[in-house]
Amino acid sequence: MRVLVIGSGGREHALCRALRLDPAVVEVHCAPGNAGIAEVATLHQVTPTDGAAVTALAERLGADLVVIGPEAPLVAGVADAVRAAGIACFGPSAEAARIEGSKAFAKDVMTAAGVPTARAYTCTTQEEAAAALDAFGAPYVVKDDGLAAGKGVVVTDSREEALEHARACGRVVIEEFLDGPEVSLFALCDGTDAVALQPAQDFKRAYDGDKGPNTGGMGAYTPLPWAPEGLSERVMAEIVRPTVAEMARRGTPYTGVLYAGLALTSSGPRVIEFNARFGDPETQVVLDRLETPLGGLLLACATGTLAGHPPLRWRDGAAVTVVLAAENYPADPVKGDPIAGLPVTVEGAYVLHAGTALDEANRVVSNGGRVLNVVGTGADVAQARARAYEALEQITMRGSHHRSDIALAAASS
């Protein structure tokens, strides 16, 4: 089959790489892509949120499947446009993508489905926000109701900082703080059925020790050696399947990835947030471990035939990814800096491009906040982590920074 992937980040590079490894996939296309994706897919210039342009490109390429990576095109209804043209599409409709596009909508779905989550208030005024903050107390959790590219959440002990974020966002969801380790679980859905991918953990804060501002994610690893037995099965039974059933009941069947961001509390898994797409950078490690060919799996979701798909197969061992970020990320990242040391030459390690481009001299340069994902693989988390950091040492980019503690606790346990 011919597959068209929409997006330009590390997640899309991971998707294109995995699709390229599927023997059933004869062509991989990506729009708009980046300098690294160009090595595994044919790139096309298109505005990802333009449903008509994406559909026209898919028709011109004779695509059998369109895979939409980022959340913005999903919320904009690009999946609806593609499906209306009779082309199989992996990604929820605009109405279903509201599960990420509106935190308030997601809370409403969870309440109706009986899904365990934090108590919350939706606030539109300063007075409402202040009352909600006082009701829950510190640490304060304030979430922009709309899309914010993974950076719309503030968790702080400062009431003033929490109020300031609420003021800047306008409409916010303020909720109780959920204690316990965080886990990302992706469920692939076809509107009726769902299957879990391997759980992963990512690191949102910019600096070591979970310090600094929230980012889109500075690293991730899988599997989780410390996760409780039967975690995926419990999450599917208590969270994912009730949510998929509720979405179908509302007449908006959910097709694509349902990303459950979870807190493993003393009372069991609780949903911190739902996203409507693959997480970034967790996808980079989860797809590395997936042995089942990706193209056929995503097509089964897009065509409502997941129930007939064979059980998923996973590779042994572990994968760790570390993000190399540009100077001044996440505030106002510097672009255009040349990157040296690619490709890396460490056994069991490789690089996925997140924010890169080619300059006039055909050099790979930074073109975003998160620039590269360095992936290490190995027999366990410790070996995978060591390989990722060894490969990272080979790369130089002026002003870059990365966390040195990704998966450190898991590797040491």
Side-chain angles (χ1 to χ4, degrees):
M1 67 177 116
R2 296 182 184 87
V3 184
L4 169 62
V5 176
I6 302 301
S8 60
R11 164 186 49 221
E12 287 75 38
H13 195 172
L15 285 164
C16 289
R17 177 181 181 272
L19 288 164
R20 188 67 179 266
L21 294 172
D22 183 341
V25 175
V26 294
E27 291 179 21
V28 181
H29 299 267
C30 188
N34 63 39
I37 295 175
E39 297 172 7
V40 293
T42 304
L43 301 192
H44 305 269
Q45 282 307 309
V46 74
T47 301
T49 53
D50 186 336
V54 170
T55 302
L57 175 61
E59 290 177 324
R60 182 164 61 80
L61 295 174
D64 301 293
L65 174 67
V66 175
V67 179
I68 301 176
E71 60 274 21
L74 294 168
V75 172
V78 173
D80 304 83
V82 171
R83 275 195 279 268
I87 301 169
C89 185
F90 181 83
S93 65
E95 185 63 27
R98 289 180 66 207
I99 208 158
E100 176 170 3
S102 168
K103 301 292 188 294
F105 174 79
K107 284 291 184 184
D108 184 58
V109 170
M110 285 186 260
T111 299
V115 167
T117 186
R119 292 181 298 122
Y121 296 104
T122 301
C123 307
T124 55
T125 68
Q126 283 297 290
E127 293 73 25
E128 289 174 348
L133 293 174
D134 293 340
F136 291 131
Y140 304 106
V141 181
V142 184
K143 298 180 175 180
D144 189 339
D145 183 48
L147 290 181
K151 293 176 286 226
V153 180
V154 162
V155 181
T156 178
D157 287 320
S158 165
R159 186 176 182 276
E160 185 48 48
E161 185 183 348
L163 268 176
E164 188 180 327
H165 186 60
R167 198 178 300 123
C169 295
R171 181 180 166 96
V172 294
V173 172
I174 294 175
E175 61 185 43
E176 66 178 329
F177 177 75
L178 294 176
D179 208 357
E182 294 186 14
V183 171
S184 301
L185 186 133
F186 308 149
L188 305 186
C189 312
D190 73 350
T192 305
D193 292 296
V195 62
L197 299 185
Q198 194 166 285
Q201 186 174 58
D202 79 332
F203 296 76
K204 287 291 184 199
R205 298 285 187 172
Y207 309 123
D208 285 7
D210 291 328
K211 306 293 186 191
N214 257 355
T215 72
M218 294 297 289
Y221 71 98
T222 192
L224 311 179
W226 47 268
E229 189 75 26
L231 173 63
S232 293
E233 292 77 7
R234 183 173 181 181
V235 172
M236 293 298 288
E238 296 179 8
I239 293 170
V240 172
R241 290 198 177 93
T243 301
V244 171
E246 172 61 20
M247 294 296 284
R249 187 192 68 76
R250 292 173 178 231
T252 54
Y254 196 92
T255 301
V257 183
L258 182 63
Y259 166 154
L262 308 165
L264 303 190
T265 73
S266 55
S267 305
R270 297 283 184 273
V271 176
I272 299 171
E273 65 176 354
F274 278 141
N275 290 321
R277 38 71 192 179
F278 282 108
D280 188 340
E282 302 100 312
T283 301
Q284 287 82 312
V285 291
V286 171
L287 292 187
D288 181 273
R289 297 292 89 197
L290 180 65
E291 192 173 319
T292 297
L294 185 63
L297 178 58
L298 300 187
L299 185 64
C301 293
T303 55
T305 57
L306 194 54
H309 193 277
L312 302 190
R313 303 190 310 274
W314 295 93
R315 297 184 179 89
D316 293 334
V320 173
T321 187
V322 183
V323 169
L324 183 73
E327 181 181 7
N328 209 29
Y329 176 78
D332 185 20
V334 177
K335 299 180 180 180
D337 283 310
I339 303 164
L342 299 176
V344 295
T345 57
V346 175
E347 180 186 358
Y350 58 93
V351 173
L352 297 171
H353 291 227
T356 65
L358 295 177
D359 67 5
E360 301 81 9
N362 216 36
R363 298 178 303 175
V364 177
V365 297
S366 61
N367 191 40
R370 293 183 295 171
V371 181
L372 299 175
N373 305 142
V374 183
V375 181
T377 65
D380 53 25
V381 173
Q383 186 179 43
R385 181 179 187 278
R387 286 174 168 174
Y389 278 104
E390 184 183 349
L392 193 59
E393 290 294 314
Q394 296 184 354
I395 302 168
T396 54
M397 185 181 81
R398 191 204 62 78
S400 65
H401 64 97
H402 65 272
R403 282 184 58 161
S404 65
D405 62 349
I406 303 298
L408 178 59
S412 307
S413 61

